[in-house]
Amino acid sequence: MKVAIITDVHGNASALKAVLRVIDERDEIDHIYCLGDMVGIGPDTNEVLDLLFSRNDLSMITGNHDEAVLAIIKGEPHPDGHIHVKEHHEWIAERMNQTFISKLEKLPRTIQHMINNYSFFFTHYHMEPKKLDEHISQNPFSKIVEPNLNNLERLFKNQFHHLIGFGHHHPIHHFRNDQTIYLNPGSLGCNSEPVAPYATVSIEDRGIQVNLEKVTYDNSLFLLSYKNLQVPEHEFIIRAFHGNQRV
């Protein structure tokens, strides 16, 4: 079996379409796992959600941006830890197609699957077991750690799986010890160049093989849309999340 792992699309439909096109053309992926933060930062909220929810070969979990936007839509407390992006989340919330709200609400925070006798665990980022049911306003996701094996072993010390997939921290993480592969394929939608990273994972009797992939795409219209749509804090977003790329 072969699966693809994507994460942190962040409202970038151009990047998502480029990756899905390659996955579909190769016709070798049995299932896709999307590990949260589908919306926020980028403005293509409805197009991204339509692309993801319209597939029957894809499983999703929620991320902190997804849940923070939902909280605004539902009139619930917005997380204090995200106060600097509250105006941006309000902008996203106002423009989200209502048909996606109930679908997002039903998504889990974690997925655990057995694939060919191997245990796979997917989460947007680590959460203590006692925080799994806490509202996003309580900032339940753990503080980001620097990407190295020791830090990830400590962070996920109570998780015993053959592969732990996650996102949240946008750089690529790919580490392994004798028992576990720790994999974050990197943010698909937020990069300092026009590339969209993802990972493919082959699961065979002899073990698990991870391949880090990336697709080059034209992001010029996507970058222009920030200004054309007057996305709040768009200059900061392009500088902080897209390497200050200009078109």
Side-chain angles (χ1 to χ4, degrees):
M1 187 171 181
K2 194 169 189 176
V3 303
I5 300 175
I6 64 176
T7 190
D8 294 84
V9 177
H10 281 300
N12 186 341
S14 298
L16 178 60
K17 285 189 287 188
V19 168
L20 293 177
R21 186 180 305 116
V22 170
I23 287 174
D24 291 339
E25 286 173 353
R26 290 169 63 173
D27 195 29
E28 59 181 6
I29 301 298
D30 298 292
H31 200 75
I32 303 169
Y33 292 93
C34 180
L35 308 188
D37 276 3
M38 290 75 73
V39 305
I41 299 179
D44 304 335
T45 301
N46 295 318
E47 189 172 3
V48 163
L49 293 178
D50 185 57
L51 286 165
L52 295 171
F53 280 118
S54 65
R55 298 185 70 101
N56 57 17
D57 62 346
L58 187 145
S59 299
M60 271 186 283
I61 57 179
T62 58
N64 52 298
H65 282 264
D66 311 311
E67 294 187 23
V69 171
L70 274 179
I72 289 173
I73 291 171
K74 296 163 66 178
E76 298 171 352
H78 186 265
D80 291 340
H82 293 58
I83 190 65
H84 58 295
V85 291
K86 185 175 182 180
E87 181 185 1
H88 178 75
H89 283 166
E90 290 171 339
W91 188 90
I92 297 292
E94 288 171 2
R95 287 156 179 78
M96 184 184 292
N97 188 313
Q98 291 189 356
T99 61
F100 296 125
I101 296 172
S102 62
K103 293 181 179 181
L104 283 172
E105 287 180 306
K106 294 175 183 176
L107 293 179
R109 279 180 164 174
T110 65
I111 294 174
Q112 184 175 340
H113 280 173
M114 292 296 297
I115 306 175
N116 290 5
N117 295 317
Y118 292 99
S119 177
F120 283 68
F121 181 75
F122 299 110
T123 180
H124 184 60
Y125 203 63
H126 177 266
M127 284 184 286
E128 297 290 341
K130 64 183 179 181
K131 295 184 177 181
L132 278 173
D133 295 322
E134 283 189 356
H135 189 266
I136 189 61
S137 61
Q138 302 302 309
N139 297 298
F141 293 99
S142 297
K143 183 178 179 181
I144 287 175
V145 300
E146 287 299 314
N148 61 59
L149 181 58
N150 288 337
N151 282 343
L152 293 171
E153 286 176 332
R154 286 194 294 269
L155 190 66
F156 292 99
K157 62 184 177 183
N158 295 318
Q159 297 286 353
F160 304 101
H161 302 280
H162 295 98
L163 186 145
I164 296 176
F166 58 96
H168 193 46
H169 195 189
H170 291 180
I172 293 169
H173 304 53
H174 182 205
F175 304 95
R176 71 167 69 204
N177 56 27
D178 292 339
Q179 173 181 290
T180 302
I181 298 169
Y182 302 92
L183 176 62
N184 173 355
S187 173
L188 184 150
C190 293
N191 282 282
S192 59
E193 55 184 337
V195 297
Y198 69 105
T200 57
V201 181
S202 300
I203 306 103
E204 303 172 353
D205 291 340
R206 64 177 182 270
I208 299 171
Q209 177 65 44
V210 174
N211 288 304
L212 298 172
E213 317 265 7
K214 62 181 179 180
V215 178
T216 301
Y217 70 104
D218 183 355
N219 67 350
S220 56
L221 291 178
F222 171 73
L223 293 174
L224 281 172
S225 71
Y226 278 101
K227 183 177 181 179
N228 292 340
L229 295 172
Q230 288 299 294
V231 178
E233 301 292 338
H234 60 269
E235 292 185 355
F236 166 77
I237 290 172
I238 289 176
R239 183 170 66 251
F241 294 101
H242 298 292
N244 210 29
Q245 296 175 79
R246 299 294 175 182
V247 294

